[in-house]
Every structure is written in structure tokens, then in C-alpha cells.
Amino acid sequence: MASPPSSSSSSPENLILVDYHPSGVSVVTINRPGSLNSLTRPMLVDLARIFKSLDGDPAVGAVVIFGRGRAFCSGIDLTTAEDVFKGDVKDQESDLVVQMERCRKPIIGAVAGFAVTAGFEIALACDIIVAGRDAKFIDTHSKFGIFPSWGLSQKLARVIGPNRARQASLSCMPITAEMAEKWGLVNQVVDSPHVLNTAIEVAENILRNNRDMVLRYKSVINDGLKLDLNNALKLEKERAHKYYDGMTKEQFAQMQKFISARGAKSASKL
């Protein structure tokens, strides 16, 4: 069972909520259910600021992002589209997806209901996705004449394959939770009321491991995905050598002690 939050904060209009759990998990909630969690520019800027802050907070080990109500996020609020799209798109400090990609902490998307266009792109910026059975991922860039700028045109094809991505993006075909799990877009599908708790449990399971190595492992996986396999393997070797060269005898002793203790605990269960 996921642990309850010990503290919380919110944006001025309570459209973005942040709950801090004692386990080290923070839950970021998009809280505009009456508009299916569509995003205005102030909300986007606030989300970018929050992810940058969580990345720098030593008490936070993992982040869950969730949308309250019937949608994870239905995309940009098109009544404020000009404000969003003609804003400073080169300002990376206020770019939500850039800040999510820079975040060293694992990000788990808890997707229930619709994840449409910008909401789909936010989901793709997560490291792990837990989806509800009612989840639908929809790319409507082609329908509304919006040019993608948060990576959907490039990331989706690399996850589900170019043919499926072309069909989803050019026809605006919904990808159901069942399809998303089959195609490798989401990690697991659960009953929709359990999406948030399951995502928190996934995050808490991650944080039971060596937190420093969790950050390093996420980094080498994500950085390696930007390279061809040969250079990605070289990157892993380089970082491994740097890591072990920097370890002291005391750290090696602690590692051996930890491994021995875990081994003894496992043996006692046989």
C-alpha cells in the first residue's frame, strides 16, 4: 500500500498540487478537472518550475505525475493557444518537457482517462507509465494544425515503431490502454481507481534500492538511448570505470556488507 503524504503545496489557484510522501515520493497533480486538465501557460510555467525544484530537492527520490478527474491531461487549453504557442518557446526554464527530461529523479506517469496531444507528450516524458483501463493516448496535432514541439513526432516512433506512430499521429487514432501495453508504450495497466496508488507503489519500490545508483542508472539508460548501440556501450563502460575508480575501500566494504546481509535475508526465507 502506498504511503500517505506528509506535506503538500500548491500553485496560487490550486491548479497544480504537490504532495510530499515520507518515503521520498512526490506526487504532482494537475488539478483542473472541469476542463479535463487542459493547460494554460501559467500552469505550464508552474509545472516546469516544480519539476526543476523537485530535481534539486534531496528529500525527493522519485516523482509521480497524475491528473485529477476524467483525464490525465487533455492538452493545451485552446482558448489560450496563442499565449502558449507564441510564448518564448526557446525558454528552457519554463519548458515543462525540458525540465522533466532534465530531472534526474525517476518520473512515473499515472495516466487515467485521456492523455491528448500535450498530455500525450507529458506521458512520453515519463520514465515509467502506469495506465488505467480507461486510458486513451491521442495525438491531435494533425487535426488542429498544431506543429509538435515536445517530441511526440520523434519519441513515439522510437517506442511503438514508425508504422504504428504514423497511423496514430496522422489519423489521430486513439491508442487504448490495452494497445499501449501490447505495444510497449505503458508498463502496466490497472483498474483506473488504482492508478495513482499503483504508481506511488512503483516509485516506493524504486526508492528501496540504492538511491545514488538509481539516479546514475536512469541517466545512463536515457543518455545511451540518444546514441547508437556501440557508442552507448562505450558510455556505460566509461561511467562504470569512473564510478568504481571514485569508490573508497570503505564504500566497497559497505557494498559487500549490504550484499551479504541481503543474501542472508534471502536464505532465511527458504
Side-chain angles (χ1 to χ4, degrees):
M1 182 178 293
S3 63
S6 58
S7 62
S8 62
S9 64
S10 65
S11 61
E13 297 181 357
N14 290 324
L15 297 179
I16 309 296
L17 309 176
V18 185
D19 292 318
Y20 299 88
H21 292 243
S23 60
V25 176
S26 284
V27 178
V28 178
T29 302
I30 304 171
N31 186 39
R32 200 184 181 209
S35 298
L36 297 179
N37 295 322
S38 61
L39 300 169
T40 63
R41 180 157 179 78
M43 292 171 70
L44 290 169
V45 171
D46 201 38
L47 280 164
R49 177 191 60 78
I50 287 167
F51 271 93
K52 183 175 182 179
S53 175
L54 293 175
D55 180 51
D57 188 340
V60 176
V63 183
V64 172
I65 183 166
F66 174 70
R68 179 157 293 161
R70 296 191 298 116
F72 172 70
C73 172
S74 62
I76 300 300
D77 183 341
L78 294 181
T79 65
T80 64
E82 185 174 358
D83 185 39
V84 173
F85 297 128
K86 287 194 174 181
D88 188 356
V89 295
K90 294 182 179 179
D91 180 12
Q92 296 190 340
E93 291 298 302
S94 62
D95 188 312
L96 169 58
V97 169
V98 167
Q99 293 304 324
M100 290 178 71
E101 290 172 343
R102 287 180 177 177
C103 183
R104 296 165 301 146
K105 318 294 173 65
I107 302 172
I108 295 88
V111 179
F114 297 100
V116 182
T117 313
F120 197 165
E121 290 173 308
I122 292 169
L124 282 171
C126 297
D127 300 297
I128 295 168
I129 301 175
V130 176
R133 299 194 192 282
D134 65 347
K136 285 185 174 64
F137 300 84
I138 309 172
D139 180 5
T140 62
H141 284 103
S142 295
K143 179 176 289 187
F144 295 109
I146 300 169
F147 202 95
S149 61
W150 273 357
L152 208 159
S153 68
Q154 303 303 309
K155 291 179 181 177
L156 186 61
R158 287 164 169 79
V159 175
I160 68 173
N163 288 355
R164 287 170 176 158
R166 279 189 284 262
Q167 183 180 3
S169 296
L170 302 183
S171 72
C172 304
M173 174 193 79
I175 300 174
T176 65
E178 182 182 3
M179 294 161 67
E181 185 176 37
K182 182 179 179 181
W183 292 353
L185 176 60
V186 306
N187 295 75
Q188 66 183 108
V189 175
V190 299
D191 290 338
S192 297
H194 303 308
V195 166
L196 179 57
N197 277 342
T198 302
I200 294 171
E201 288 169 5
V202 169
E204 289 177 342
N205 284 338
I206 290 171
L207 295 185
R208 292 188 182 99
N209 297 313
N210 182 301
R211 293 196 182 187
D212 176 66
M213 184 51 66
V214 164
L215 301 186
R216 293 175 185 271
Y217 215 143
K218 168 181 166 168
S219 176
V220 76
I221 290 172
N222 288 0
D223 291 346
L225 286 170
K226 302 170 187 174
L227 307 171
D228 61 79
L229 181 58
N230 186 50
N231 283 310
L233 291 171
K234 289 180 181 177
L235 176 70
E236 182 191 68
K237 284 285 187 186
E238 289 168 2
R239 293 194 184 178
H241 286 309
K242 184 177 180 180
Y243 177 74
Y244 290 119
D245 285 347
M247 286 184 69
T248 64
K249 289 184 178 179
E250 290 76 14
Q251 286 174 317
F252 274 108
Q254 287 176 354
M255 180 193 293
Q256 291 168 339
K257 183 178 179 181
F258 177 78
I259 293 170
S260 297
R262 291 296 294 265
K265 188 178 291 185
S266 298
S268 68
K269 294 180 179 179
L270 297 178

